[in-house]
């Protein structure tokens, strides 16, 4: 068997998340079908992350085992011709058979996007529209306060399946790009809905509706109700995945 | 009755064009439903153009007659809250009752977009992917050759409903923007599929598959088969509408 690490990007709007679900089409099930057509084999697809329904990825990796010896071109040209327009293969390479697309991740970066000004049907698909401008300075104060190793239990939703809820945030920042505001976070791992809740909390802080001290009490109390809203998945992108050396 | 001129933008991917059809949801029918909810009246919606199924508009105007006296805010806030995310009101103003959203148009600009490089699920919705780069210089030679008043019959599809097929092209140009190539055309009017056929012809010329002289013979022969392909609607945007003074 040959293990391949495949880099893709996808628009998650039409999918029930990455992971196979009993009901609904997922990115994983779509990839498995396309691989079956390409190779004739039933290959499993192991993703670097379990992105939620409606979340997008500019960069996402999965590994798969195939008996055939295939060049990168077979994946890029071949798989892309079998995949729908909202999932595209960007690259592929052979790896060690011990390499694991999820366990070998060192850190990942997610970005949550907002936009200001008139409502725009072309931005609406990927950004959350804001009627008034939040203070990016206040948002960045909150961002700075969550860098480090914390128990993010209170910043996640009840649907958690993991045992430890401690994660390390390496970077967190909010930046302005034209009429857009982008909340960006890099960590060694993320809990269920964690980025959508942190972005919603940053926004509430930015609007002055939520004092940073109250938001930070979520860490000591694990009280989800002290944080901000869980924002819509449409504004969330997985943008970078870094593997351990 | 008050006549209003309303400026919108829409992502046409999910619509069977602008104009009401016996089967399928159109932008016009969606606007009429939202207006009915807003005002309680059955108002007609007259668009500035009959864009094809799947074509988008960054700027599009329609007029409608309503007995109520409504401020711009009622349309922007009110209609937008009733419209789906892929149609948005950008502005609204009261006009003379003789003003007509289509007949009063002086000229319109359409743009057709291509992109180069790796296939990208976020560009795929609005741009046509090209495997290799065409000569933009050759494309511009073709663009220059169609400026002026010509019979565009051979550059339109058989589904025409108009009597005269003579149109005046004021501007036509192809430009490069990062990894994108944009074909842009401004004219006093457009025939059915005209921009998609002209963009396809410019592309065939750019690839050196079609000599400009042959393409220009379409004008004298009205022979559709001498031109390029009718490109997919997804890359086409109505971008500018100018009204007569």
């Amino acid at each position: 068997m040959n293990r391949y690490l495949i880099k893709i990007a996808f628009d998650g709007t039409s999918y029930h998340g990455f992971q196979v679900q009993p009901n609904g089409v997922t990115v994983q099930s779509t990839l498995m079908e396309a691989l079956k057509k390409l190779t004739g084999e039933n290959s499993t697809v192991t993703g670097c992350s379990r992105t939620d329904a409606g979340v997008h990825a500019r960069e996402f990796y999965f590994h798969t085992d195939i008996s055939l010896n295939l060049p990168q071109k077979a994946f890029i040209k071949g798989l892309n011709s079998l995949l729908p327009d909202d999932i595209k293969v960007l690259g592929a390479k052979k790896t060690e058979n011990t390499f694991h697309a999820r366990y070998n991740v060192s850190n990942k970066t997610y970005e949550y996007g907002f936009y200001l000004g008139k409502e725009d049907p072309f931005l609406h698909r990927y950004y959350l529209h804001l009627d008034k401008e939040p203070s990016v300075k206040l948002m960045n104060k909150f961002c700075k306060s969550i860098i480090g190793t914390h128990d993010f239990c209170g910043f996640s939703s009840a649907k958690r399946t993991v045992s430890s809820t401690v994660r390390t945030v390496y970077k967190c920042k909010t930046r302005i790009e034209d009429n857009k505001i982008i909340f960006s976070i890099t960590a060694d791992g993320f809990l269920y809905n964690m980025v959508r809740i942190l972005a919603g909390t940053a926004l509430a802080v930015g609007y002055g509706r939520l004092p940073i001290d109250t938001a930070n009490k979520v860490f000591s109390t694990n009280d989800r109700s002290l944080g901000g809203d869980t924002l819509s998945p449409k504004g969330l992108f997985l943008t970078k995945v870094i593997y351990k050396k």
Side-chain angles (χ1 to χ4, degrees), chain A:
Chain A
M1 276 295 181
N2 300 291
R3 179 158 289 186
Y4 297 94
L5 180 67
I6 299 176
K7 184 180 176 179
I8 60 172
F10 59 83
D11 175 332
T13 310
S14 310
Y15 296 95
H16 290 247
F18 183 80
Q19 207 81 348
V20 165
Q21 300 280 334
N23 308 311
V25 178
T26 66
V27 177
Q28 192 184 34
S29 66
T30 308
L31 288 167
M32 284 168 73
E33 274 175 42
L35 276 170
K36 175 79 191 276
K37 281 182 198 156
L38 184 73
T39 65
E41 300 174 26
N42 282 310
S43 306
T44 59
V45 160
T46 306
C48 62
S49 167
R50 296 180 186 173
T51 60
D52 300 352
V55 174
H56 320 287
R58 294 201 192 278
E59 180 172 311
F60 189 103
Y61 291 88
F62 71 87
H63 78 247
T64 187
D65 296 328
I66 298 169
S67 67
L68 300 169
N69 213 329
L70 294 169
Q72 159 155 305
K73 208 177 160 180
F75 290 103
I76 295 182
K77 282 278 166 191
L79 263 191
N80 277 345
S81 71
L82 297 165
L83 285 167
D85 280 353
D86 50 11
I87 305 178
K88 288 295 162 195
V89 175
L90 305 178
K93 64 172 184 183
K94 213 180 276 188
T95 64
E96 301 288 308
N97 282 320
T98 53
F99 185 91
H100 193 283
R102 184 143 57 95
Y103 301 151
N104 286 39
V105 167
S106 164
N107 65 77
K108 285 180 292 199
T109 300
Y110 277 94
E111 293 193 346
Y112 197 96
F114 307 95
Y115 79 99
L116 293 157
K118 285 181 181 170
E119 290 192 85
D120 181 321
F122 304 105
L123 294 178
H124 232 85
R125 194 173 167 91
Y126 304 119
Y127 298 87
L128 194 69
H129 182 253
L130 301 180
D131 273 325
K132 62 182 185 111
E133 198 169 344
S135 159
V136 172
K137 204 176 159 186
L138 277 178
M139 289 176 81
N140 270 320
K141 274 196 181 167
F142 172 72
C143 289
K144 217 174 164 183
S145 76
I146 62 168
I147 293 174
T149 304
H150 304 279
D151 184 347
F152 282 92
C153 178
F155 284 116
S156 72
S157 94
K159 217 177 134 187
R160 283 188 318 271
T161 52
V162 292
S163 46
S164 167
T165 51
V166 173
R167 294 290 181 275
T168 299
V169 172
Y170 300 114
K171 286 184 211 167
C172 186
K173 210 167 177 170
T174 303
R175 66 180 191 275
I176 299 173
E177 273 182 13
D178 303 320
N179 65 332
K180 304 185 193 86
I181 294 175
I182 316 287
F183 170 88
S184 164
I185 183 166
T186 304
D188 59 354
F190 296 88
L191 305 175
Y192 191 66
N193 283 350
M194 179 172 145
V195 185
R196 289 160 59 189
I197 296 170
L198 286 172
T201 304
L203 186 65
V205 168
Y207 277 142
R209 286 200 302 257
L210 181 63
I212 293 183
D213 290 349
T214 310
N216 283 335
K217 272 196 191 120
V218 175
F219 287 132
S220 51
T221 60
N222 283 345
D223 183 354
R224 168 71 189 89
S225 72
L226 295 177
D229 294 336
T230 306
L231 301 182
S232 157
K234 73 173 185 177
L236 186 59
F237 284 78
L238 175 59
T239 59
K240 195 91 202 150
V241 181
I242 303 290
Y243 282 102
K244 291 168 190 160
K245 296 287 169 213

